Amino acid sequence: SGRHRVPRASAQLLAPVGDPEKVICVGLNYHDHCQEQGVQVPKEPLIFSKFPSAITGPFDDIVHPQDTSELDWEVELAAVIGKRGRHIEEAAALEHVLGFTVANDVSARDWQMRRNGRQWLLGKTFDTFCPLGPAIVTREAVADAHNLWIRCSVNGQQMQDSSTRHLIFGVPALVAWVSRFVTLVPGDILLTGTPAGVGVFRKPPIFLKRGDEVRCEIEELGTICNRVV
């Protein structure tokens, strides 16, 4: 109606889903990401999770924990579940997806790769380690979720530049796979993996420091931008 507007500069955008039941993540799900670290392409999806408390807004700060010196970025296509289901058939899986948004799977590589028994959870789930947004774009409004450019820059320098066509397991396969183990419910978030270009596998490695600005973009979905503090 135009009668209930506020200036954009005066509004703080929150994450489009703030308190989901589950934040489900997928590792090693881009061909180029496997190549950059010299590992074989997985035969089955590699699933891990973040706690919902890691979620923060699309333009909020990423808090650099005192407990890590290896803070890294990972731009990801995130699917938001819109319909409850268990043992979902792959052919019907997209019917359970409400839409898509942009995520940054922020990672403390020392905790992920060397500490905590090399279990990934702690390194992935510090507070603010899941910037999300700027909005949910409904499934019907996205021409092809498996053919979108996906990029991440740090302080204006391009770090990741790829396409979702390089996904190893697409969204329908992931939804079907995860639903074999848990019931998916509306609001659940599925992070689908990151392409090549993360900091830890650069030579020499590059890690985020306080004051850095991380910009994650996906075609048709928009941009999130977060400062490290």
Side-chain angles (χ1 to χ4, degrees):
S1 68
R3 292 182 298 166
H4 303 286
R5 295 182 177 180
V6 296
R8 174 65 187 88
S10 70
Q12 177 189 7
L13 282 185
L14 305 179
V17 182
D19 189 23
E21 182 177 290
K22 294 183 285 294
V23 181
I24 303 160
C25 309
V26 187
L28 300 177
N29 199 32
Y30 276 78
H31 289 280
D32 53 3
H33 187 47
C34 291
Q35 291 169 1
E36 75 173 342
Q37 52 189 298
V39 298
Q40 292 185 338
V41 172
K43 295 180 180 179
E44 297 174 336
L46 194 165
I47 304 298
F48 62 99
S49 66
K50 289 177 176 279
F51 294 134
S53 55
I55 292 174
T56 193
F59 306 107
D60 291 343
D61 292 336
I62 297 168
V63 177
H64 192 309
Q66 295 180 349
D67 295 298
T68 184
S69 58
E70 299 182 3
L71 194 66
D72 207 347
W73 59 84
E74 292 192 7
V75 61
E76 306 209 6
L77 170 71
V80 181
I81 299 299
K83 179 182 175 183
R84 183 183 183 93
R86 179 83 194 275
H87 298 297
I88 300 167
E89 294 293 331
E90 186 172 336
L94 281 180
E95 298 173 14
H96 291 261
V97 174
L98 170 68
F100 302 95
T101 192
V102 183
N104 184 353
D105 177 16
V106 183
S107 305
R109 299 301 190 188
D110 39 6
W111 283 94
Q112 177 191 359
M113 296 178 170
R114 297 189 303 278
R115 303 188 65 176
N116 193 43
R118 297 185 179 180
Q119 296 185 64
W120 289 12
L121 176 64
L122 289 184
K124 293 285 191 173
T125 203
F126 283 90
D127 290 352
T128 74
F129 269 27
C130 190
L132 200 65
I136 298 171
V137 180
T138 57
R139 182 185 75 246
E140 296 83 1
V142 178
D144 182 0
H146 300 93
N147 189 25
L148 303 172
W149 56 252
I150 178 169
R151 298 171 181 163
C152 176
S153 63
V154 178
N155 300 327
Q157 180 180 352
Q158 200 77 39
M159 296 297 188
Q160 294 179 279
D161 189 357
S162 189
S163 170
T164 57
R165 68 176 179 270
H166 298 306
L167 281 164
I168 296 166
F169 302 101
V171 175
L174 293 173
V175 169
W177 175 261
V178 172
S179 74
R180 289 173 56 178
F181 305 93
V182 296
T183 300
L184 294 174
V185 300
D188 283 351
I189 299 171
L190 176 63
L191 275 60
T192 60
T194 198
V198 298
V200 68
F201 297 120
R202 292 176 175 268
K203 298 179 180 173
I206 300 173
F207 296 113
L208 294 170
K209 59 187 184 300
R210 293 176 181 87
D212 286 347
E213 185 177 84
V214 187
R215 183 182 180 93
C216 296
E217 307 174 73
I218 301 180
E219 183 181 6
E220 298 186 32
L221 305 185
T223 301
I224 63 176
C225 188
N226 308 91
R227 180 170 292 276
V228 181
V229 299

